[in-house]
Amino acid sequence: MNTVVCIKQVPDTETLIKVQGAGIVTEGIKWVMNPYDEFAVEEALRQKEKMKAGNVTIVSLGPDRAIEAVRTGLAMGADTAVHINDAAYYDKADPYATAAALAAAIKGMQYDAIFVGKQAIDDDAAQVPAMLAEMLGIPVVTMVIKFEVAADKSKATVTREIEGGQAVVEVPLPAVFSAQKGLNEPRYASLPGIMKAKKKPVDVKKAADLGVSEGPKTAIKEMSLPPARQAGKVITGDDAAAKAKELARILHEEVKIV
Amino acid sequence: MHGSGAEISREVFWNILGPGFPTEQVLLYVLVVIAFLLFFHGLARSGFFTRMKAVTSAQGPDVERVNNAWDRFMYMVVDVFGHRKILREPYQGVFHFFIFWGFIALAITTAIVFLQADVIWPIWHVWFMQGGFYLGLSLFADVFGLVAIVGILMAMARRYFMKPKWLDEKGEDKVILWFILAILVTGFVVEALRIQATETDPASPMNPYIWFSPVGRTVAFLFSGMSMDALRDTHVVLWWTHVLGALGFIVFIAYSKLLHIVMTPVNIFLRPDTPQPPIKAMPPEMFENAETFGIHKLEEYSWKDLFDSEACMRCGRCVEVCPAFNTDKPLLPRDVIQNIRTYMEKKAKFALDADGNYHILPDEEYTGPALIGDTIEKDTIWACTTCMACVEACPAYILQFPKLIDLRRYLVMMESDFPAEVLDVFKGMENNSNPWSIGAHVRADWAKGLDVPLLSEKGEAEYLFYVGCAGAFDDLNKKVAVALVKIFKAAGLDFAILGTEEGCCGDSAKKIGNEYVYQALAMANIETFKAYNVSKIITMCPHGYTVLKNDYKELGGNFQVFHYTEILDKLIKQGKITLKQPIENLGVITYHDSCYLGRYNKIYDQPRDILKALNSGSLVEMKSHHAKSFCCGAGGGRMWMEEDLGTRINQKRTKEVEASGAKTVCTACPFCYTMLSDGIKELELSEKLQAIDIAQLVAKAAGLDQKTDKAGNENDQEAAN
Ligand SMILES: Cc1cc2nc3c(=O)[nH]c(=O)nc-3n(C[C@H](O)[C@H](O)[C@H](O)COP(=O)(O)OP(=O)(O)OC[C@H]3O[C@@H](n4cnc5c(N)ncnc54)[C@H](O)[C@@H]3O)c2cc1C
Ligand code: SF4
Ligand code: SF4
């Protein structure tokens, strides 16, 4: 089974984010592969291992630094990669422009499935999966937590997470699948994997090389951080009963919620 | 046969030799030769030579174990004859000492008799075994024979009555003690029969000196009623029984754990000469070039790793002290070593070609049991806390747990196969340079408002205070870091911290087996240290201490590294800090030795000296302390893993704290501090016990903390946040 995995490089969840106008200060940030994309890579690798055939291709849009995330995917076991290394395009790209670039890169490829993360944890738009599928003219199933493919690769049976439960969906291939936590446990790249990844082929392209003409449909005007958290309050008291009483008093009198 | 003038002596081969040609004497020496031939035959049959082929085919990095040969030899002599390590366990130490010296003395006596009867007399007709020398020799042999018997009886008492649960029980274990006892007892009975026959007659010239064989004389009373013929007949039979027994013993050595008589001294000669068990850094160029990392095949070990198992006599001392074994986890360091030994033979069956030469089979051809899984289980590999207790205890200088680290390296770097919890730890170390996975940018937040000098601002300082991840990120241990900087400042120490430029020391990564991540972390620190021309470093954590001090050297980082207890001890002794305020509510205190401070780096006294200088409560020792201290359970990356097999190590140690009668247990390691604090909470002992770090106590006694709650914890602004 041939698969394509779209990965985005995002700031590590623990890293310090400083806002600057409509963007963030990128210096000093630790960049990682979007965590949901790790599930996507893992699933593609598992399908390949199960079928004992096929190729896994990584596609990523991002500046120079994004190659690290691409190499992470290759280290996990992906075979080849396309890096749309175009800082100018990337800086202005909204989900629409991103999907357009990815679709242009994927269009000529042979694939049975495209795995993507359910959302990128930096801008949280969660739009790329659906737009990408639309642009490629294939179905999309989002929030996938279980993936099974028919032996003839004609269709997949997938389980998706829905509010308060699960739904099982059948879909003809090829299709786009967005990965939710729970789909699998992403592997830790082995050392030989890391070393081999350095030598695997990465096709570097500009957006123009792919013939993408359409620009973004939206633009970020401003960004701000959430207000700093207020200091917590430690409730003291002689014993649990006294503390509970004091808590009840605060909730009732000061916070006025009970 | 012997010197006629020698009256105060005895006839060697009395009652054994017939008249004329000394048939029996010749027979005896033929038997001796046969025994030695059978010994070597036994070595072959018991697989010794096969195992040696495996040892010599080992491909692992060569290790230097024969340098300074004379020093090594002298060390071995002192160790073997003085029982330096064996006597650390009093009971088994003493009985081994008795058996050992009993045998040495009897061997010396036998050699003297041999020289007299078979060399000196036949060639020069000189009989020196007479008079005072003979009497002395007689007394010497008797006393030491008795000492050996006492030793054997003590060993029997342990095996049959005390039955410690770590003692191995194989077929040979049931036989050996009885075998040796039989040889010793028949020796005395033979002597007694001879004495009864030749010395009890008052007319005998030996009669006045009969008590120079005190044991033989005493036993002879048993035979006082026997006729001369009966004495002689019994004597002949028992003499040959004794001789055959002794020769059989030589043969038995080849087949049994008794081979340690030969192999353990060899292994002591080959011992590692570093204070820490070597867990060698992989050469960095290996990451680029090697096909495989760590060890998953026997022959990937070094020859010394494989040879180690020859010296193991299954004494079980390593098992006795192992925290994993003592909390019912499937790890017995002895069995790791013994399983490698058995596996060498098993594997040899697959690897011996027609000429009997051992050759290494490619993975595809090899169909036998695997090293990881079949020989040493994964649960065993992950149970180790790298506490070093096994290495410290082993009288044969075997390196048990480092062999497990090699297997971890394979599992981690080749298979990505490790406890699931560890994934986040690796990612935290890779992305944020700390195992807690907290943003690297907050590494220095603990120091906010304390006006701690930063190296980047100060430019240089005498000491770099390397805080480490626990002091920087863990709430409990931030208090220790705060206490330390207050003390350093009060003492006028010229120091600075690296702030957010500091990185994880990498110890957990190294001991979990992720040498790649360890070296990346270590190299980053070394570069930073070098960029600031750092020469002296104070660490808060013993784990950082040991890697910065000992392991960074392998990667080109040579720094003078101190643990904070060394510095505080010095500052107190120099009067630069005065501990003026007695600390209330400490009660009786005890000190928990951190494995990495104690066993790894031999820092035992400084923490105790500091505690004594506090003058705030008497110091007691727990059941296990100093070199025998029991691990808290957090080393070797176990801090980051679930402990779902057996019982919890930290709780076992907490119970030892309780049993010591102490109210306060003092730590000098962030991991120990965390583990014991948790142990106290888990066992609901907070009313009775408290854990606290030594640095906090010093700050308090020096009047450097702002407020104090009743538990003696610092409760100032920083600690509350
Ligand atoms: C996903 C997940 C991960 C977890 N991970 C860990 C872990 O890593 N380590 C661990 O130790 N436990 C962990 N837990 C367990 C969790 O911490 C316990 O369930 C919780 O501490 C139970 O506390 P309680 O018994 O006081 O609950 P309850 O008293 O039933 O608490 C219910 C609610 O009462 C309020 N409340 C209770 N006590 C206080 C208080 N003192 N002050 C203010 N409000 C209060 C809070 O709103 C709380 O949510 C995890 C649980 C989950 C679901
Ligand atoms: S290092 Fe400690 S835990 Fe590991 S095997 Fe040795 S004694 Fe057991
Ligand atoms: S490894 Fe050492 S301590 Fe352990 S059983 Fe063998 S000889 Fe004894």
Side-chain angles (χ1 to χ4, degrees):
Chain A
M1 191 160 115
N2 293 322
T3 50
V4 175
V5 187
C6 301
I7 61 160
K8 183 180 188 184
Q9 194 192 36
V10 296
D12 182 82
T13 38
E14 291 294 330
T15 215
L16 173 68
I17 304 291
K18 287 193 206 125
V19 168
Q20 193 178 49
I24 59 169
V25 180
T26 50
E27 275 89 65
I29 280 186
K30 178 70 199 177
W31 300 92
V32 298
M33 184 195 294
N34 179 38
Y36 292 107
D37 302 353
E38 290 184 14
F39 300 114
V41 176
E42 179 64 32
E43 197 57 31
L45 294 173
R46 287 191 188 189
Q47 293 306 325
K48 174 186 160 178
E49 284 158 5
K50 206 150 86 188
M51 302 249 172
K52 297 195 173 62
N55 260 301
V56 177
T57 306
I58 302 271
V59 180
S60 182
L61 167 69
D64 289 344
R65 58 171 164 76
I67 188 69
E68 283 176 34
V70 171
R71 295 276 177 216
T72 306
L74 293 172
M76 286 172 77
D79 303 285
T80 54
V82 178
H83 177 196
I84 312 165
N85 185 350
D86 195 328
Y89 186 89
Y90 177 77
D91 282 347
K92 289 200 211 61
D94 65 349
Y96 181 84
T98 304
L102 296 176
I106 295 169
K107 204 157 270 166
M109 295 181 187
Q110 290 287 316
Y111 58 87
D112 301 297
I114 300 173
F115 289 102
V116 294
K118 74 153 183 161
Q119 72 190 76
I121 59 151
D122 51 358
D123 51 29
D124 271 346
Q127 295 183 29
V128 169
M131 290 196 200
L132 176 64
E134 180 62 23
M135 288 172 188
L136 291 169
I138 55 175
V140 59
V141 185
T142 57
M143 303 284 271
V144 173
I145 53 170
K146 194 169 169 213
F147 182 91
E148 262 166 71
V149 68
D152 65 354
K153 297 182 284 187
S154 63
K155 62 176 188 201
T157 310
V158 300
T159 307
R160 39 186 319 271
E161 199 172 82
I162 55 174
E163 185 61 40
Q166 297 182 345
V168 178
V169 177
E170 205 177 88
V171 59
L173 293 180
V176 174
F177 300 92
S178 83
Q180 164 67 319
K181 187 178 161 83
L183 178 60
N184 50 44
E185 291 287 341
R187 69 194 63 189
Y188 183 71
S190 71
L191 190 48
I194 295 170
M195 294 304 156
K196 273 187 221 140
K198 294 183 180 172
K199 297 182 191 115
K200 284 182 182 169
V202 177
D203 195 2
V204 184
K205 293 250 162 73
K206 293 272 175 221
D209 303 339
L210 297 166
V212 197
S213 50
E214 286 179 275
K217 305 277 187 198
T218 58
I220 297 169
K221 283 289 159 214
E222 197 193 314
M223 263 193 211
S224 61
L225 291 174
R229 242 193 307 164
Q230 305 255 305
K233 188 175 173 113
V234 177
I235 296 170
T236 51
D238 292 338
D239 55 13
K243 287 182 197 172
K245 211 169 154 194
E246 172 65 3
L247 174 63
R249 189 194 64 75
I250 292 174
L251 293 178
H252 186 63
E253 293 171 17
E254 294 180 20
V255 197
K256 297 195 184 17
I257 52 170
V258 278
Chain B
M1 148 87 211
H2 69 68
S4 45
E7 298 204 317
I8 303 175
S9 183
R10 76 173 165 92
E11 187 185 345
V12 177
F13 295 118
W14 171 82
N15 195 36
I16 301 301
L17 291 187
F21 185 77
T23 322
E24 291 80 2
Q25 198 174 352
V26 172
L27 178 63
L28 173 65
Y29 292 105
V30 170
L31 286 176
V32 170
V33 172
I34 292 175
F36 277 98
L37 290 176
L38 284 176
F39 171 78
F40 286 106
H41 179 67
L43 284 184
R45 296 240 353 232
S46 64
F48 175 79
F49 294 114
T50 310
R51 293 195 302 273
M52 283 302 121
K53 278 178 190 152
V55 169
T56 46
S57 311
Q59 296 175 320
D62 212 1
V63 284
E64 180 54 85
R65 293 298 175 79
V66 285
N67 54 336
N68 305 327
W70 177 249
D71 292 348
R72 285 176 175 278
F73 179 75
M74 288 315 294
Y75 188 97
M76 176 194 86
V77 168
V78 172
D79 217 85
V80 169
F81 292 97
H83 277 42
R84 176 164 33 204
K85 261 202 165 175
I86 301 176
L87 280 168
R88 287 200 198 175
E89 291 300 327
Y91 188 81
Q92 46 258 48
V94 164
F95 79 59
H96 191 276
F97 192 79
F98 282 4
I99 300 170
F100 175 88
W101 276 106
F103 263 72
I104 293 284
L106 294 176
I108 291 172
T109 313
T110 307
I112 291 173
V113 174
F114 167 77
L115 273 180
Q116 173 65 88
D118 301 293
V119 182
I120 309 237
W121 178 254
I123 299 175
W124 291 288
H125 288 271
V126 174
W127 195 262
F128 64 80
M129 232 175 73
Q130 58 171 316
F133 177 74
Y134 170 71
L135 293 178
L137 189 67
S138 193
L139 183 61
F140 173 77
D142 251 42
V143 167
F144 277 93
L146 184 63
V147 161
I149 289 185
V150 170
I152 291 290
L153 293 177
M154 285 173 72
M156 286 179 150
R158 181 183 69 152
R159 188 163 286 282
Y160 298 109
F161 299 106
M162 303 177 200
K163 290 186 186 165
K165 63 175 177 157
W166 43 265
L167 198 61
D168 212 2
E169 183 102 29
K170 277 201 189 174
E172 62 177 36
D173 298 323
K174 296 199 181 76
V175 181
I176 285 174
L177 292 175
W178 290 104
F179 193 0
I180 299 175
L181 186 67
I183 295 170
L184 290 167
V185 168
T186 50
F188 276 123
V189 172
V190 167
E191 184 193 30
L193 290 165
R194 178 182 54 75
I195 288 173
Q196 180 62 32
T198 62
E199 296 182 8
T200 46
D201 179 355
S204 159
M206 270 305 293
N207 186 265
Y209 309 103
I210 197 164
W211 282 102
F212 275 89
S213 300
V215 182
R217 172 70 198 101
T218 310
V219 177
F221 283 117
L222 291 175
F223 311 121
S224 54
M226 280 168 78
S227 71
M228 187 53 87
D229 282 349
L231 285 173
R232 282 181 170 270
D233 290 351
T234 322
H235 177 266
V236 171
V237 172
L238 280 179
W239 191 90
W240 283 107
T241 311
H242 176 72
V243 163
L244 288 176
L247 296 177
F249 182 79
I250 292 173
V251 180
F252 193 42
I253 289 176
Y255 287 94
S256 66
K257 66 176 178 184
L258 291 170
L259 193 59
H260 84 271
I261 296 171
V262 185
M263 302 311 284
T264 301
V266 175
N267 214 46
I268 296 175
F269 179 86
L270 298 171
R271 80 190 197 290
D273 53 4
T274 47
Q276 294 80 25
I279 302 172
K280 284 227 155 303
M282 289 166 43
E285 63 277 7
M286 217 182 137
F287 295 127
E288 301 288 342
N289 307 328
E291 295 282 311
T292 174
F293 307 93
I295 285 178
H296 79 301
K297 289 196 283 187
L298 185 77
E299 52 276 3
E300 288 167 346
Y301 275 124
S302 75
W303 64 270
K304 184 56 181 46
D305 279 318
L306 299 183
F307 186 81
D308 264 0
S309 67
E310 288 304 315
C312 172
M313 78 301 281
R314 299 188 289 106
C315 71
R317 285 165 184 244
C318 54
V319 182
E320 182 185 10
V321 295
C322 176
F325 168 78
N326 280 294
T327 52
D328 302 323
K329 295 173 184 52
L331 164 57
L332 288 79
R334 170 191 64 213
D335 291 2
V336 170
I337 300 302
Q338 285 293 322
N339 291 348
I340 288 178
R341 180 185 161 116
T342 321
Y343 183 64
M344 278 204 271
E345 283 161 45
K346 271 195 212 158
K347 182 134 192 189
K349 290 209 180 82
F350 292 89
L352 284 180
D353 59 23
D355 319 332
N357 287 322
Y358 187 95
H359 72 276
I360 290 151
L361 290 173
D363 277 355
E364 330 55 275
E365 278 177 43
Y366 178 70
T367 51
L371 179 60
I372 297 180
D374 296 334
T375 309
I376 302 175
E377 286 176 27
K378 287 185 193 169
D379 280 343
T380 303
I381 296 170
W382 292 115
C384 175
T385 68
T386 68
C387 74
M388 202 186 138
C390 49
V391 171
E392 181 84 27
C394 180
Y397 293 80
I398 289 167
L399 299 175
Q400 300 91 338
F401 81 91
K403 297 187 190 10
L404 298 176
I405 305 288
D406 285 319
L407 304 177
R408 287 183 177 186
R409 283 180 176 175
Y410 179 80
L411 287 173
V412 169
M413 291 187 285
M414 294 301 291
E415 304 277 307
S416 302
D417 182 353
F418 42 77
E421 316 83 80
V422 171
L423 183 67
D424 283 341
V425 176
F426 286 160
K427 289 202 167 171
M429 294 196 275
E430 286 171 25
N431 296 335
N432 288 295
S433 200
N434 73 82
W436 272 272
S437 296
I438 297 175
H441 62 284
V442 301
R443 185 175 268 273
D445 283 11
W446 64 274
K448 271 187 188 159
L450 289 172
D451 193 23
V452 184
L454 273 174
L455 207 47
S456 57
E457 288 167 5
K458 206 173 168 184
E460 58 175 18
E462 186 184 357
Y463 292 99
L464 164 68
F465 173 34
Y466 174 86
V467 183
C469 300
F473 295 106
D474 177 56
D475 285 340
L476 183 70
N477 284 291
K478 282 182 202 170
K479 298 187 218 172
V480 182
V482 169
L484 279 174
V485 296
K486 284 182 180 170
I487 299 166
F488 294 160
K489 286 172 104 178
L493 203 73
D494 178 22
F495 79 103
I497 60 168
L498 279 168
T500 54
E501 288 181 278
E502 185 183 287
C504 175
C505 70
D507 173 63
S508 283
K510 185 177 177 74
K511 303 290 161 59
I512 295 175
N514 201 335
E515 181 74 6
Y516 183 63
V517 165
Y518 158 68
Q519 289 199 14
L521 295 168
M523 289 311 297
N525 278 328
I526 291 172
E527 275 167 32
T528 314
F529 296 165
K530 283 187 176 165
Y532 283 111
N533 282 321
V534 167
S535 65
K536 293 187 193 172
I537 303 176
I538 306 172
T539 72
M540 180 177 134
C541 175
H543 294 260
Y545 176 67
T546 206
V547 289
L548 263 61
K549 182 174 173 166
N550 309 312
D551 297 304
Y552 279 15
K553 284 198 186 113
E554 286 180 301
L555 303 174
N558 287 291
F559 310 101
Q560 248 186 298
V561 187
F562 305 89
H563 184 254
Y564 84 76
T565 50
E566 295 177 276
I567 300 291
L568 294 195
D569 182 46
K570 205 169 92 191
L571 292 175
I572 292 169
K573 285 179 181 157
Q574 290 172 341
K576 293 198 176 148
I577 320 171
T578 31
L579 306 177
K580 42 188 183 271
Q581 298 177 2
I583 307 167
E584 279 165 32
N585 290 312
L586 271 191
V588 177
I589 55 182
T590 189
Y591 171 65
H592 164 79
D593 285 283
S594 144
C595 305
Y596 276 69
L597 214 50
R599 279 188 287 272
Y600 276 77
N601 290 294
K602 311 283 171 282
I603 296 186
Y604 297 113
D605 295 337
Q606 294 90 326
R608 289 180 170 80
D609 286 355
I610 298 171
L611 290 174
K612 283 177 200 149
L614 291 173
N615 270 325
S616 299
S618 57
L619 184 65
V620 294
E621 294 291 357
M622 281 181 262
K623 184 177 123 208
S624 51
H625 56 87
H626 284 83
K628 292 185 193 169
S629 179
F630 194 77
C631 181
C632 73
R638 294 283 333 164
M639 173 80 183
W640 317 106
M641 300 175 202
E642 298 289 347
E643 195 175 345
D644 38 23
L645 295 172
T647 54
R648 292 183 63 86
I649 296 175
N650 66 330
Q651 295 185 1
K652 187 163 170 81
R653 185 56 166 168
T654 307
K655 286 178 190 156
E656 286 188 16
V657 174
E658 193 189 9
S660 74
K663 178 184 173 191
T664 305
V665 56
C666 304
T667 58
C669 168
F671 286 176
C672 302
Y673 190 17
T674 303
M675 291 310 252
L676 291 175
S677 302
D678 287 353
I680 292 170
K681 277 184 227 144
E682 289 157 13
L683 294 172
E684 297 179 354
L685 290 169
S686 305
E687 302 279 305
K688 273 174 74 178
L689 298 182
Q690 60 182 355
I692 192 150
D693 196 277
I694 290 177
Q696 291 169 283
L697 291 181
V698 171
K700 205 179 297 294
L704 296 170
D705 63 333
Q706 283 136 33
K707 273 184 279 170
T708 318
D709 64 20
K710 78 171 187 329
N713 286 314
E714 278 197 32
N715 198 7
D716 49 19
Q717 198 51 44
E718 302 78 34
N721 278 342

